[in-house]
Amino acid sequence: STGDATGDRPGMTDFVGRAKFDAWAALKGTTQEAAMQQYVDLITSLKA
């Protein structure tokens, strides 16, 4: 489905890519709405 992590996990030097890949992989199987809400919650918590 759209948004699921695909392909190989980014390399050790690609920290942002790895973080995004792991985040999407962790959300795999959730509905798009739930995944978006979790993402919004994550960003909000990082700004706090």
Side-chain angles (χ1 to χ4, degrees):
S1 69
T2 307
D4 284 344
T6 56
D8 294 330
R9 192 167 184 249
M12 288 293 276
T13 57
D14 188 357
F15 297 112
V16 174
R18 283 171 67 93
K20 287 181 179 177
F21 183 94
D22 289 347
W24 281 117
L27 293 174
K28 196 168 188 173
T30 60
T31 65
Q32 190 170 2
E33 291 80 14
M36 282 184 181
Q37 185 58 53
Q38 288 178 19
Y39 182 75
V40 169
D41 290 345
L42 172 66
I43 298 304
T44 301
S45 70
L46 291 175
K47 288 181 181 174

